[in-house]
Amino acid sequence: MSSVTVQAKALGRKKPLLPDWTLSTPPEWDDVETAVLLRDLVTRIVRQEVSAFRQRQAERRFIQVLTQQEVARGAQEGKVSMGGTDLDQHVDTNAAVATALQAFEDGVYLVFVDGQQVSSVDEQVHLKPDSQVTFVRLVALAGG
């Protein structure tokens, strides 16, 4: 199983929205001749992120013993959390996928695969093991 690097950026910001992460791709996507629809790529990314969100929620339910470095880092960021919270946030995976696809079609964000803009969810993209997928959130102009 291969993976690709995923980035999230916003126009007008120097720092990325999130740290880069890797997306595991299914074996059938490894074939150089195989093209993947952007729709399928976005769906896989959203499903992985929903799964990661659920995992983080589960981890927050447990109280953790913090090191001095973790307390100092939390204090610097403005919040020290030991866990023990249950926010009870539920995410409908299918609704999250539909929202992400609709947001792309509405022009809320752009997608680039290996530096090439993808303009339609039904456009085919060719992924390589070292491919880079970049999401760029567009910022609406005030009053626009």
Side-chain angles (χ1 to χ4, degrees), residues 9 17 22-23 26 32 65-66 78 84-85 127:
K9 299 180 177 184
L17 291 173
T22 57
L23 170 73
V32 179
V65 177
L66 302 177
T85 59
L127 297 174

Side-chain angles (χ1 to χ4, degrees), residues 122-134:
D122 294 317
E123 188 173 332
Q124 295 182 341
V125 296
H126 295 276
L127 297 174
K128 300 175 286 208
D130 61 343
S131 283
Q132 192 167 40
V133 178
T134 305

Side-chain angles (χ1 to χ4, degrees), residues 81-92:
S81 176
M82 295 177 35
T85 59
D86 186 2
L87 300 177
D88 197 32
Q89 296 176 321
H90 299 283
V91 178
D92 179 334

Side-chain angles (χ1 to χ4, degrees), residues 60-115:
R60 287 187 184 135
R61 289 188 181 114
F62 300 104
I63 295 177
Q64 302 171 359
V65 177
L66 302 177
T67 65
Q68 286 182 335
Q69 292 85 3
E70 290 170 324
V71 171
R73 184 177 53 236
Q76 186 177 18
E77 293 173 358
K79 181 179 178 183
V80 178
S81 176
M82 295 177 35
T85 59
D86 186 2
L87 300 177
D88 197 32
Q89 296 176 321
H90 299 283
V91 178
D92 179 334
T93 303
N94 292 330
V97 168
T99 300
L101 293 171
Q102 187 63 53
F104 177 80
E105 290 178 353
D106 290 346
V108 175
Y109 65 92
L110 304 174
V111 177
F112 295 84
V113 176
D114 295 328

Side-chain angles (χ1 to χ4, degrees), residues 24-75:
S24 299
T25 58
E28 59 268 18
W29 289 13
D30 291 344
D31 186 358
V32 179
E33 300 299 318
T34 302
V36 178
L37 294 179
L38 179 62
R39 174 184 310 280
D40 297 333
L41 179 59
V42 169
T43 297
R44 186 163 187 86
I45 290 169
V46 170
R47 287 185 183 282
Q48 179 176 314
E49 287 304 296
V50 168
S51 177
F53 173 78
R54 288 181 178 145
Q55 179 65 35
R56 287 190 305 272
Q57 292 292 24
E59 290 170 358
R60 287 187 184 135
R61 289 188 181 114
F62 300 104
I63 295 177
Q64 302 171 359
V65 177
L66 302 177
T67 65
Q68 286 182 335
Q69 292 85 3
E70 290 170 324
V71 171
R73 184 177 53 236

